[in-house]
Amino acid sequence: MVLPGRSGTHLLDCAARGRRLEEGKTAIRNMWAQAGTATLVSTGSVDGGRLTRQCARCPRSIESPCARTWKGTDMVQLSKQSEVRPDITKTRLNSLTGMRMLAAIGVFAFHALCTTVFASKDWQMMPVRGRYADLFWQGNWASVSFFFLLSGFVLTWSMRPGDTTTTFWRRRIFKIWPNHLLTFVAAVILFVGVSKMAFDLKAAVLNATLLHSFFPQLEIWTSFNSVSWSLSNEAFFYFLFPFLIRYIGRIRPERLWLWAGVVVAAILAVPLIATLLPGGPYQPWTQSAHLQFWFTSKFPPVRLLEFVLGIILARIVITGRKIPLGLGGATALTVLAYVAGPHLPLTYPQVAATVIPLSLVILAAASDDVAGRKNWLGSRVMVWLGEVSFAFYMCHLLVLIYGPQLLGNRSYGTPVAIGVIALLFLTALGVAALMFHLVESPIMRRFATSRRRARLARNGAPPPPLPDLPLASTSSSPPAGNDDV
């Protein structure tokens, strides 16, 4: 039997001193109701009237189970009668899935206004933001930050029992690389074959291997399908996740909010650190010098902070910590940060301006899903849009670049331009649906899990142990649809 925290030791001492068992039962139930409980596994033994049970998820350390020894043979019955907190990680996070498409639309709108579809300068993002384009500027940075936070959250939420580093990496490779390589090849054909641009072998190799965001040169991290810079960051996150979760999983539940604050403080310090870098040419559309902009918003080790924060946020929900704001309050705070962001100095708008409210939105939405509170974000249509959002993100920029060329590469008055942008959005959505249903999903079903392990799982047999370090697991099974970027 395992009790959370130091009070468990106190109760153990009380039981050892001979206090009434019923009194102990009541106290244990009350503790579980307040702090959650560990899940008991079958590695128990009785030795000389002393029953030993080991927990599968200790609040002190996910990786290193702890054991408590209780006197008396009635403890097994006590464990069966106790009110154990259910495994909430089996809950589908439909609201967060739906939010993914909203974030993807934020990026699409920014890139759409970087084109010359609108004849009016008021609707153009570059070289200087127009007054209407300015309304969509903050949405791009907030959307990408949301993706990075959500990535750490969802990967922690959907960890599988018996996962190893190898099996985790396998799933992530087959999740992101097929769509990346497909759009990379399409970009090479379009840029080199249609636009007659020179083929840069170095940039191509770095892009294909998702290493290009580590390089500050604009021609490298924006090469080919330039939105893939974020996938370069994600690949770095995935590589580190099996190691990060071992340490973050050891944080005591009551200290999770403290550590979340530490990470947020580090994010807020990044723009100040960026000022120590060499200046360089000023970019009006980023409000910063190029090198500072790259360091703040593209450099994978810096963006790792958001991913780590997402992991901590997931543990806050899993361990039942108190969430300070509901979805309405968190959304209102996000809108306030969205409006204020463009007016902040340095590179604060790129990440720091919205990281706190976006974190609260994720916490509130996940808590609503766990509690069964439904909203329009979790509707069937929004969930489907969220599922195809990754493919949409990967193909939308190519559609925005070459779609207008098919229409004569003209600029239009505002009403017609809005219609053209809507047409391009629907085109990108159609291409994304094809990519999702014909490429992404079939490859994940076929290759994300080895044939042997998949066959054993279908037959109900446990998978064979692998010669690898297991991931710290916090769930008994992954909820479908939650294992996405």
Side-chain angles (χ1 to χ4, degrees):
M1 174 65 61
V2 179
L3 297 177
R6 297 177 181 174
S7 298
T9 305
H10 173 71
L11 281 179
L12 176 62
D13 294 339
C14 291
R17 294 190 185 103
R19 293 195 176 182
R20 290 181 299 133
L21 182 59
E22 289 301 323
E23 190 176 313
K25 290 182 182 180
T26 303
I28 292 167
R29 292 193 186 100
N30 291 338
M31 286 183 58
W32 273 342
Q34 294 175 4
T37 183
T39 303
L40 296 180
V41 296
S42 59
T43 57
S45 63
V46 177
D47 181 17
R50 296 170 63 87
L51 173 67
T52 300
R53 279 287 192 179
Q54 193 174 42
C55 66
R57 192 190 314 153
C58 175
R60 293 189 178 184
S61 170
I62 291 177
E63 262 196 303
S64 305
C66 70
R68 302 275 193 265
T69 302
W70 287 72
K71 289 185 178 181
T73 58
D74 195 29
M75 290 299 105
V76 174
Q77 185 65 25
L78 175 59
S79 68
K80 292 179 181 179
Q81 294 174 354
S82 300
E83 298 167 359
V84 179
R85 182 178 177 179
D87 183 3
I88 63 172
T89 57
K90 293 181 180 179
T91 305
R92 292 180 61 97
L93 303 176
N94 288 337
S95 296
L96 290 177
T97 301
M99 286 182 184
R100 288 167 51 197
M101 178 49 80
L102 298 183
I105 291 174
V107 178
F108 175 88
F110 176 88
H111 287 148
L113 298 179
C114 289
T115 68
T116 57
V117 171
F118 284 90
S120 172
K121 298 291 185 182
D122 289 339
W123 286 93
Q124 291 183 12
M125 193 70 70
M126 299 174 67
V128 179
R129 303 194 307 268
R131 57 175 176 169
Y132 298 129
D134 191 55
L135 300 175
F136 299 90
W137 184 75
Q138 188 65 42
N140 179 65
W141 319 123
S143 296
V144 175
S145 185
F146 174 83
F147 283 135
F148 289 162
L149 290 166
L150 187 63
S151 182
F153 188 100
V154 169
L155 290 182
T156 305
W157 191 270
S158 61
M159 287 190 298
R160 304 180 178 186
D163 254 356
T164 66
T165 301
T166 303
T167 57
F168 171 80
W169 284 341
R170 178 189 178 109
R171 284 201 309 273
R172 303 325 297 168
I173 286 172
F174 284 108
K175 172 65 182 178
I176 66 171
W177 249 280
N179 277 346
H180 166 57
L181 293 178
L182 179 63
T183 52
F184 169 76
V185 171
V188 171
I189 294 173
L190 291 171
F191 291 160
V192 178
V194 177
S195 300
K196 306 302 180 183
M197 296 173 63
F199 180 78
D200 187 331
L201 180 60
K202 176 184 176 181
V205 171
L206 293 174
N207 188 297
T209 55
L210 293 179
L211 296 173
H212 50 309
S213 278
F214 286 92
F215 295 82
Q217 294 90 339
L218 187 67
E219 65 274 14
I220 292 181
W221 67 260
T222 63
S223 61
F224 301 98
N225 187 25
S226 62
V227 296
S228 64
W229 73 264
S230 64
L231 249 63
S232 176
N233 281 257
E234 290 282 3
F236 179 66
F237 304 162
Y238 298 159
F239 174 74
L240 293 179
F241 179 75
F243 312 104
L244 291 171
I245 194 63
R246 287 176 167 86
Y247 295 97
I248 299 175
R250 292 192 175 108
I251 299 175
R252 295 184 182 182
E254 62 271 18
R255 295 180 180 175
L256 287 169
W257 274 114
L258 173 62
W259 278 102
V262 170
V263 177
V264 168
I267 293 173
L268 295 177
V270 166
L272 296 176
I273 298 173
T275 61
L276 302 176
L277 299 173
Y282 181 83
Q283 299 173 323
W285 66 279
T286 65
Q287 294 186 178
S288 60
H290 169 70
L291 194 59
Q292 294 175 7
F293 171 71
W294 166 80
F295 177 80
T296 303
S297 65
K298 310 299 177 185
F299 190 40
V302 170
R303 299 309 296 261
L304 180 67
L305 290 170
E306 293 153 89
F307 182 77
V308 169
L309 181 57
I311 297 174
I312 296 174
L313 296 178
R315 289 212 58 219
I316 285 174
V317 177
I318 291 171
T319 56
R321 301 297 95 187
K322 184 178 180 180
I323 309 301
L325 286 177
L327 187 56
T331 302
L333 191 61
T334 301
V335 172
L336 180 62
Y338 186 99
V339 173
H343 303 287
L344 297 178
L346 305 177
T347 54
Y348 276 100
Q350 275 73 39
V351 180
T354 55
V355 68
I356 294 176
L358 288 175
S359 298
L360 294 174
V361 164
I362 290 174
L363 287 172
S367 297
D368 283 354
D369 285 336
V370 169
R373 292 187 288 269
K374 298 184 181 299
N375 55 60
W376 65 275
L377 291 167
S379 65
R380 182 176 300 180
V381 172
M382 288 303 299
V383 168
W384 179 81
L385 289 172
E387 289 174 344
V388 304
S389 62
F390 172 53
F392 177 85
Y393 177 84
M394 292 304 298
C395 73
H396 82 275
L397 187 58
L398 296 178
V399 172
L400 285 172
I401 293 173
Y402 287 94
Q405 292 188 21
L406 294 177
L407 299 175
N409 212 17
R410 298 168 50 197
S411 297
Y412 305 90
T414 300
V416 176
I418 292 174
V420 171
I421 295 299
L423 177 62
L424 294 173
F425 174 83
L426 293 176
T427 301
L429 185 61
V431 174
L434 293 175
M435 291 171 61
F436 176 75
H437 292 290
L438 300 181
V439 178
E440 182 180 332
S441 290
I443 288 178
M444 282 293 289
R445 286 195 300 267
R446 170 62 183 83
F447 297 105
T449 304
S450 66
R451 285 186 173 183
R452 184 185 180 193
R453 294 175 70 86
R455 184 171 61 253
L456 290 172
R458 285 194 300 268
N459 295 335
L466 296 179
D468 200 354
L469 292 174
L471 287 171
S473 180
T474 63
S475 68
S476 57
S477 62
N482 283 348
D483 194 25
D484 293 332
V485 178

